[in-house]
Amino acid sequence: MKDGAKGPTITNLGDSSFRLLVEGARDYAIFMLDPQGHVVSWNAGAERIKGYTADEIIGSHLSRFYTPDARVNGAPNESLRQARETGRHEDEGWRVRKDGSRFWASAVLTALRAPSGELIGFSKITRDLSERREHEERLRQSEERFRQLVEMVEGYAIYMLDPNGFVSSWNIGAQRITGYSAEMVLGRHFSMFYPPDAVERGWPQHQLEVAARTGRFDDDGWRVRQDGTLLWADAVITAIHDRKGALRGFSNIIRDLTERREQEQRLKQSEENFRLLVEGVKDHAIFLLDARGEVLSWNAGAERVEGWRAEDVLGRNFSILYPPEDVVAGRPQRELETATVLGFSEDTGWRIKANGSRYWADSSLTALRNKDGTMRGFAQITRDLSERRRVQELESEGRRINEFIAMLAHELRNPLAPIRNAVEIMERSTLPPDIAWCKELIGRQVGHLTRLVDDLLDVSRITVGKIQLEKEPVDLSGLVSAAVESMRPAVKDYEHALEIELPKEPIRVVGDPTRLTQVVVNLISNAAKYTPNGGTVRVVVEKSEDEAHIRVADTGIGMSEQLIEHAFDLFVQGKRALDRSDGGLGIGLTLVQRIVALHSGIVSASSAGPGHGSEFIVALPLAHPEPVPPGPDAAPHAVTPRKILVVDDNVDAANSLSTLLTMSGHATSLAHDGTEALRLATEEEPDLVLLDVGLPGIDGYEVARRVRRLPRLRHTRLIAMTGYGQESDKLAAAEAGFDRHLVKPVDFDVLVEMIERLG
């Protein structure tokens, strides 16, 4: 080349031919690049596909059309390098338009060289394949979804065979039905699933030949599972051809119909068994009706339940089984209509027997149709629920009684609380003899009434199984001795002699000390009440082989044999004189028997007859625990003065309790509703709040919850004092944030001890 002569460039190569080529390709972006990759020409197709005009893009680098990730990875320069070294570079990938949108491109980059071999640039041809890629992606996703669908189907075995019958795919349903895993069958001939006799006569191969010739083959027959058992299969083999009609293989879809076939095989026997069953059922009325409701059949149970003989009811409308008012209201016909529409109808209500008496029935009416849907009639099944209804009513009544007892106990305990507090206050004062006598009388009667309420609730709880025992090793002699001493004042009121005989050695049982004490106290109380004044009550504790016995005998009115049989029944009492107003409710012995039974013991009653006294014997199993050495007696300590807030809407109860606490050295304040309680608690920050639950407005539970949310009262202790004493009440108090739960009327000594323990 001469000096100053211009070498070959991309711009002086056959301009006329290049222009014709470019103008003829509207669906392709065709442009030229210089050796460094800069755009030097731009056709209309490039402008349409990429969005740039020639003025906007000429001079820009090829990398402008690539995504940011591709530019970072050096893809533009790599394509130039490969085209430079090999002459061309082809690829498919994402490209970027002027507006920032992406399209899927097929691009060919070709190196352009002069005759001398010098690189003078590149030609770039790009085609937008976005639609084709979207179509291919949709097709791929569709195929993937179909593959997953087939693989996950569990109710059918679906698998593919090659043209020669070898398994090429295997789904979960196939594994579940045949027991073979994919690894065990892939590549093996599908004849492995057939019984030996079918394989010997070429049945599998025959099925493939027919399917290949006709397109499909349907077959019901035996197949062999992996464990060797047989299954009855409904199989459809379908030939699969490509677009040119060449056989590509087969699909095989199998459904396990073993159970259905067995049902069909058993159907005749089942129908016969059912006929015998229906005829033999005695507790259910089972009969057939025609489409109009007329009786077609009548079993022995129908005769027993309904009272009608078959010959008296066959051919008559089943409405004769309904009360007249239901027949007038059209109830039988509505049952038929409902069963016709829905297939069945269920009903509970009164029915009429042949003798005119009524019974409570549960009945179901089922429509019977042929396979083509034609109505054949109805099957009626009726059960007599009269006894169940009676039991349910009794249970409902029992629940209402228990609720009433709980409410009654609450209402009785509330007025008892201030009375007991008043007695405690008088205990701390010097009283004239006549007033002191009144105080003692009031105290005894409050105690008596409290025990009645407690017994009433205890027997209710035991009856419904809601009582829990806290068992521990117990010295029975010590327990009985303490119980006897607690009853001496009450027995003394009757002018009785109370004698006790204990063994020299301790007798140990495992039991709930509180409940066992309750047993002894109730027996002594019962003996005292049914013994004329001046009698004797004798308590003996003894050991007999593997049992401990507690004997409570009296010189009282005695019992007849009939009364002994029912002595432990609820609300049963012996005859009393008209002036024995403290005789109780007749629940004490019931409570004794049930508490003893909870301790795996037995209580019995005996008497030589009316006027000859009675004896009750409690037998409990012995226990043999390791003796526990007695601990040192706790040293008495002085009461620690505390700030106590008393909250009760019963003004008498609140004032009397406040007075007692003040006399014991505590500083008290009073509130009679929840709002006032929260205000005083916030202002005074008491050490302890004695809180009634049943307050007007904000109840005690909510007061407790709000107190627990106040950081400044985190050290304040809460004691619930309420007439509600069931386990559910104690649980509700604990959940609301109470530290302790006491049942009214509260024993003040117990309250004082609890206050000291709470600290």
Side-chain angles (χ1 to χ4, degrees):
M1 185 181 296
K2 295 183 180 180
D3 294 339
K6 193 172 183 180
T9 67
I10 200 167
T11 57
N12 57 16
L13 293 177
D15 289 343
S16 176
S17 298
F18 178 74
R19 183 175 62 256
L20 292 175
L21 171 66
V22 170
E23 289 177 353
R26 305 291 297 175
D27 294 330
Y28 291 83
I30 304 175
F31 54 95
M32 301 295 184
L33 305 175
D34 64 15
Q36 289 73 39
H38 297 93
V39 179
V40 296
S41 71
W42 196 249
N43 80 326
E47 181 173 340
R48 186 184 65 82
I49 292 173
K50 296 182 180 288
Y52 294 97
T53 64
D55 293 338
E56 292 174 327
I57 200 63
I58 289 178
S60 298
H61 194 267
L62 171 69
S63 60
R64 189 166 183 176
F65 308 128
Y66 284 75
T67 64
D69 291 342
R71 291 199 297 269
V72 171
N73 294 332
N77 291 329
E78 177 62 19
S79 65
L80 292 173
R81 183 189 68 77
Q82 290 192 24
R84 187 182 302 114
E85 294 179 357
T86 64
R88 64 184 282 139
H89 175 261
E90 296 184 27
D91 78 316
E92 288 190 9
W94 291 111
R95 297 295 187 270
V96 181
R97 297 186 180 93
K98 175 185 176 182
D99 61 6
S101 62
R102 297 187 177 196
F103 68 97
W104 188 260
S106 171
V108 179
L109 183 66
T110 304
L112 301 177
R113 296 183 181 275
S116 63
E118 177 184 359
L119 180 68
I120 60 176
F122 303 90
S123 68
K124 186 70 178 282
I125 301 176
T126 301
R127 185 180 180 188
D128 185 353
L129 298 182
S130 300
E131 290 186 4
R132 189 186 77 181
R133 175 177 169 80
E134 291 175 2
H135 175 73
E136 291 174 347
E137 179 63 20
R138 286 195 297 269
L139 180 61
R140 185 193 66 78
Q141 292 178 358
S142 175
E143 292 175 345
E144 176 64 17
R145 285 193 295 269
F146 181 74
R147 182 189 65 80
Q148 292 177 349
L149 173 64
V150 170
E151 288 183 352
M152 297 307 294
V153 169
E154 295 188 3
Y156 292 82
I158 304 175
Y159 58 95
M160 301 292 296
L161 305 174
D162 68 12
N164 297 315
F166 291 91
V167 180
S168 59
S169 72
W170 196 248
N171 80 326
I172 291 177
Q175 178 170 334
R176 187 187 66 81
I177 291 173
T178 68
Y180 288 98
S181 65
E183 293 78 9
M184 299 168 71
V185 300
L186 291 176
R188 298 180 64 182
H189 198 271
F190 86 119
S191 60
M192 64 185 290
F193 308 125
Y194 289 75
D197 61 329
V199 176
E200 289 176 5
R201 57 189 173 90
W203 187 240
Q205 190 60 36
H206 171 73
Q207 293 180 349
L208 293 183
E209 292 171 357
V210 174
R213 185 173 62 254
T214 65
R216 63 180 285 156
F217 185 88
D218 295 347
D219 176 46
D220 285 353
W222 293 111
R223 299 292 187 271
V224 183
R225 297 188 181 94
Q226 191 269 337
D227 60 6
T229 59
L230 295 176
L231 67 96
W232 187 259
D234 172 38
V236 179
I237 298 177
T238 304
I240 299 175
H241 299 85
D242 61 18
R243 293 181 179 178
K244 297 180 180 180
L247 181 66
R248 296 291 303 277
F250 303 89
S251 68
N252 198 355
I253 302 176
I254 294 177
R255 184 182 179 190
D256 185 356
L257 298 182
T258 306
E259 291 186 5
R260 190 179 77 178
R261 186 175 189 275
E262 291 175 352
Q263 291 173 356
E264 291 172 351
Q265 293 294 319
R266 293 193 299 264
L267 183 58
K268 289 184 179 180
Q269 185 62 42
S270 174
E271 290 175 346
E272 177 63 16
N273 292 341
F274 180 74
R275 184 185 65 80
L276 295 174
L277 171 65
V278 169
E279 291 181 355
V281 169
K282 299 294 190 296
D283 295 331
H284 291 70
I286 303 176
F287 51 95
L288 295 177
L289 307 174
D290 65 13
R292 295 171 299 179
E294 294 181 358
V295 180
L296 299 176
S297 70
W298 197 252
N299 78 328
E303 183 169 338
R304 190 192 69 81
V305 172
E306 308 284 2
W308 294 88
R309 294 181 302 173
E311 56 266 29
D312 296 329
V313 74
L314 291 176
R316 301 181 65 177
N317 194 280
F318 83 123
S319 61
I320 64 173
L321 309 176
Y322 285 76
E325 62 271 20
D326 285 350
V327 176
V328 172
R331 188 170 183 176
Q333 186 60 34
R334 285 200 303 273
E335 293 296 324
L336 294 178
E337 293 170 355
T338 301
T340 301
V341 174
L342 301 180
F344 70 96
S345 173
E346 295 180 338
D347 180 46
T348 302
W350 294 110
R351 295 292 186 272
I352 297 292
K353 294 190 176 186
N355 62 8
S357 63
R358 298 191 176 206
Y359 72 97
W360 189 257
D362 173 48
S363 63
S364 63
L365 188 67
T366 303
L368 303 178
R369 299 179 182 273
N370 291 329
K371 291 183 178 180
D372 61 1
T374 303
M375 175 66 72
R376 290 287 305 276
F378 304 90
Q380 172 87 51
I381 301 177
T382 301
R383 183 169 50 155
D384 185 350
L385 295 183
S386 300
E387 181 63 21
R388 176 184 292 184
R389 178 181 172 87
R390 188 183 70 82
V391 171
Q392 290 174 343
E393 289 176 347
L394 288 175
E395 290 176 347
S396 177
E397 184 65 22
R399 284 192 297 271
R400 289 195 294 270
I401 289 174
N402 287 331
E403 292 170 359
F404 169 75
I405 289 174
M407 182 59 66
L408 175 64
H410 173 262
E411 294 303 320
L412 289 174
R413 280 170 168 161
N414 275 334
L416 286 175
I419 297 174
R420 170 167 279 181
N421 291 340
V423 171
E424 290 288 346
I425 292 172
M426 288 190 287
E427 286 283 359
R428 288 159 170 74
S429 305
T430 302
L431 303 173
D434 54 344
I435 302 300
W437 175 84
C438 291
K439 180 262 298 178
E440 292 174 1
L441 181 146
I442 295 171
R444 285 194 301 273
Q445 296 306 313
V446 167
H448 179 62
L449 184 55
T450 300
R451 283 193 298 273
L452 287 178
V453 173
D454 289 341
D455 284 353
L456 193 61
L457 279 177
D458 281 343
V459 77
S460 174
R461 284 195 289 263
I462 292 176
T463 300
V464 297
K466 291 185 177 180
I467 194 166
Q468 294 182 347
L469 300 182
E470 298 180 4
K471 292 186 177 181
E472 61 184 61
V474 176
D475 176 9
L476 193 60
S477 298
L479 181 144
V480 171
S481 177
V484 168
E485 293 306 314
S486 70
M487 288 299 295
R488 283 196 184 278
V491 174
K492 185 179 179 181
D493 288 343
Y494 293 102
E495 301 176 359
H496 297 326
L498 180 56
E499 301 175 356
I500 181 170
E501 181 180 331
L502 302 175
K504 295 180 180 179
E505 298 296 329
I507 297 179
R508 295 190 177 277
V509 297
V510 175
D512 185 325
T514 301
R515 295 302 177 183
L516 290 178
T517 299
Q518 193 173 3
V519 167
V520 178
V521 167
N522 278 8
L523 289 176
I524 296 175
S525 175
N526 186 75
K529 286 187 293 184
Y530 289 96
T531 298
N533 287 8
T536 299
V537 177
R538 180 173 175 79
V539 181
V540 177
V541 178
E542 59 189 13
K543 182 164 63 175
S544 174
E545 296 182 356
D546 293 332
E547 291 182 335
H549 291 172
I550 305 172
R551 296 176 178 271
V552 179
D554 61 62
T555 58
I557 63 175
M559 293 184 290
S560 65
E561 290 185 3
Q562 182 180 5
L563 182 57
I564 291 175
E565 292 178 3
H566 300 282
F568 299 102
D569 292 349
L570 191 59
F571 304 128
V572 171
Q573 294 179 290
K575 293 183 179 179
R576 296 176 288 159
L578 293 176
D579 62 347
R580 300 192 64 81
S581 59
D582 57 352
L585 300 174
I587 61 178
L589 293 181
T590 302
L591 189 59
V592 166
Q593 184 192 50
R594 296 184 182 181
I595 292 176
V596 171
L598 290 174
H599 286 79
S600 303
I602 299 174
V603 60
S604 60
S606 63
S607 174
H612 295 282
S614 303
E615 183 179 36
F616 290 83
I617 303 175
V618 175
L620 298 170
L622 288 173
H624 305 282
E626 292 295 327
V628 179
D633 294 337
H637 55 81
V639 173
T640 304
R642 290 182 173 84
K643 290 193 297 182
I644 300 177
L645 172 59
V646 178
V647 185
D648 198 322
D649 60 329
N650 186 319
V651 177
D652 289 339
N655 290 338
S656 59
L657 181 57
S658 174
T659 300
L660 273 174
L661 292 170
T662 301
M663 294 172 67
S664 299
H666 301 291
T668 63
S669 53
L670 290 172
H672 301 300
D673 58 58
T675 303
E676 180 70 7
L678 287 172
R679 184 185 67 79
L680 289 177
T682 305
E683 292 177 358
E684 299 180 0
E685 299 181 21
D687 302 309
L688 174 67
V689 179
L690 301 177
L691 182 57
D692 183 26
V693 171
L695 297 174
I698 304 174
D699 64 34
Y701 294 131
E702 181 59 25
V703 171
R705 283 189 284 267
R706 294 189 188 184
V707 167
R708 287 298 179 226
R709 289 197 292 265
L710 297 174
R712 62 194 297 182
L713 298 179
R714 63 181 179 275
H715 299 302
T716 297
R717 301 291 189 169
L718 301 178
I719 296 179
M721 295 201 311
T722 173
Y724 298 107
Q726 301 192 62
E727 290 300 321
S728 58
D729 302 317
K730 296 176 183 178
L731 179 61
E735 291 176 347
F738 283 99
D739 297 289
R740 294 289 187 275
H741 180 278
L742 290 176
V743 179
K744 295 179 180 178
V746 177
D747 187 311
F748 189 70
D749 291 335
V750 173
L751 176 60
V752 170
E753 182 180 356
M754 184 175 291
I755 293 173
E756 290 302 309
R757 287 183 178 180
L758 285 175

